[in-house]
Amino acid sequence: MILEVVALLMIIDGEIKEHRIQIDPNTNKPSMAMCLKGKRHATREDKGSNIQHQCIKSMAEVEQNIDGSLSIKKLILE
């Protein structure tokens, strides 16, 4: 299924290596605030490396995991 998501990207050498959906656990909706919080945490952990983190709002093809959570199968960047 295709949904609009807020995703936290991990970018290494200009290439997206990982992407995670950021959902507010209270509202179960995409959350830029949760993404920025995750970005701050990740940036502090990866100090001094060539890893970048970025939050984006984009359409994505998602799939439902066995536990009911969603994961990004493919980002649709326009």
Side-chain angles (χ1 to χ4, degrees):
M1 78 183 103
I2 295 180
L3 297 173
E4 184 176 61
V5 298
V6 173
L8 176 57
L9 308 179
M10 180 173 69
I11 303 168
I12 301 174
D13 296 329
E15 186 177 333
I16 298 172
K17 294 292 185 180
E18 188 174 327
H19 39 65
R20 303 253 178 189
I21 295 177
Q22 301 298 300
I23 296 176
D24 186 334
N26 297 324
T27 62
N28 239 6
K29 294 184 179 178
S31 171
M32 186 60 78
M34 292 297 294
C35 188
L36 293 172
K37 182 178 178 182
K39 178 184 173 186
R40 280 192 304 274
H41 179 73
T43 301
R44 288 182 190 135
E45 294 291 317
D46 296 331
K47 247 184 198 173
S49 65
N50 64 341
I51 299 173
Q52 297 177 338
H53 298 89
Q54 182 179 352
C55 292
I56 65 165
K57 190 174 197 176
S58 176
M59 298 302 285
E61 186 178 329
V62 297
E63 62 185 357
Q64 192 166 16
N65 298 321
I66 197 162
D67 65 355
S69 64
L70 296 175
S71 63
I72 297 172
K73 203 170 173 184
K74 179 173 70 171
L75 285 170
I76 302 170
L77 303 173
E78 297 174 355

